[in-house]
């Protein structure tokens, strides 16, 4: 049996879960999310917990069992507490600021880079513009927005400059050896 898939998903007090056939809709203080569950998986709701069941012990059913449970759990967690990704800017003059809802990045180019947040995403900037927090209810969307921002200047291995995740370790390389005198 799938260790992840068999765990029940507890539903917090302010969250409501509706199961309509293969569609699971979750509403909470941070918003509303929904997803379509694989047709071979079944979702049961009883006494404030959600259970995912599979039809057989085949390998693809076992894999879908754990995946479905993790995705539904992310919906419940997202609408109750939300998700956050933090990016750190390393480099001289690399800063960020939030103007209205738009994140404006200065990453060593001749121009500023405005980043418009998709619906459900909020930006905050702190520590003199070197930390960027990306908050939202949808885990996949928060991660994708963070990856898109990181793409503008990925961390380079020689000086370590660029946009990195908060606890990311960048492997550093030695520069030129120099001329022996």
């Amino acid at each position: 049996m799938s260790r992840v898939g068999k765990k029940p998903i507890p539903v917090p007090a302010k969250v409501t879960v509706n199961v309509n056939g293969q569609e699971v809709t979750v509403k909470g203080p941070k918003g509303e999310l929904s997803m379509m569950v694989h047709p071979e998986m079944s979702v049961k709701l009883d006494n404030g917990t959600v259970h995912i069941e599979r039809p057989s012990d085949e390998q693809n059913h076992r894999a879908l069992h754990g995946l479905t449970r993790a995705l539904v759990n992310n919906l419940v967690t997202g609408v109750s507490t939300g998700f956050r990704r933090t990016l750190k800017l390393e480099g001289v003059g690399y800063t960020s600021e939030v103007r209205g809802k738009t994140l404006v990045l200065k990453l060593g180019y001749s121009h500023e880079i405005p980043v418009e947040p998709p619906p459900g995403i909020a930006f905050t900037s702190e520590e003199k513009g070197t930390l960027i927090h990306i908050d939202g209810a949808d885990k996949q969307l928060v991660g994708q927005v963070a990856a898109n921002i990181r793409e503008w200047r990925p961390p380079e291995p020689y000086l370590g400059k660029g946009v990195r995740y908060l606890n990311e370790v960048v492997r550093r390389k030695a520069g030129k050896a120099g001329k022996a005198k």
Side-chain angles (χ1 to χ4, degrees):
M1 185 123 201
S2 169
R3 292 182 190 161
V4 174
K6 68 182 178 182
K7 285 184 183 175
I9 302 167
V11 179
K14 296 181 181 179
V15 176
T16 59
V17 178
N18 293 324
V19 180
N20 185 9
Q22 295 306 112
E23 183 178 14
V24 177
T25 305
V26 184
K27 293 180 187 175
K30 299 275 185 179
E32 177 180 347
L33 296 172
S34 65
M35 70 170 275
M36 294 297 292
V37 176
H38 193 276
E40 295 178 356
M41 296 292 119
S42 63
V43 180
K44 303 274 191 269
L45 180 65
D46 57 53
N47 297 337
T49 59
V50 178
H51 297 277
I52 311 295
E53 296 175 359
R54 64 177 186 225
S56 72
D57 254 358
E58 293 179 20
Q59 183 181 3
N60 63 335
H61 288 157
R62 290 194 315 260
L64 281 172
H65 192 207
L67 171 70
T68 305
R69 191 253 180 219
L71 292 175
V72 172
N73 188 46
N74 285 343
L75 295 181
V76 172
T77 305
V79 299
S80 60
T81 59
F83 292 101
R84 170 176 272 195
R85 286 294 260 170
T86 303
L87 297 174
K88 183 166 180 55
L89 303 179
E90 297 260 339
V92 176
Y94 286 21
T95 60
S96 67
E97 65 177 294
V98 179
R99 295 181 192 156
K101 291 185 176 185
T102 305
L103 177 70
V104 179
L105 300 170
K106 296 176 187 170
L107 298 176
Y109 295 114
S110 62
H111 60 282
E112 295 178 338
I113 302 164
V115 179
E116 292 291 330
I121 297 294
F123 296 123
T124 54
S125 180
E126 61 182 57
E127 285 191 23
K128 298 181 182 176
T130 60
L131 281 183
I132 304 168
H133 298 295
I134 303 160
D135 297 310
D138 188 351
K139 187 174 186 176
Q140 189 272 333
L141 185 60
V142 169
Q144 187 61 52
V145 169
N148 290 345
I149 292 172
R150 185 179 181 275
E151 254 179 31
W152 282 100
R153 272 284 191 214
E156 55 97 23
Y158 295 102
L159 297 176
K161 297 188 333 182
V163 180
R164 63 177 73 184
Y165 297 112
L166 184 61
N167 294 320
E168 180 180 8
V169 176
V170 177
R171 285 193 49 195
R172 301 291 296 272
K173 292 183 179 179
K176 286 179 150 181
K179 205 171 175 182
K181 291 185 180 184

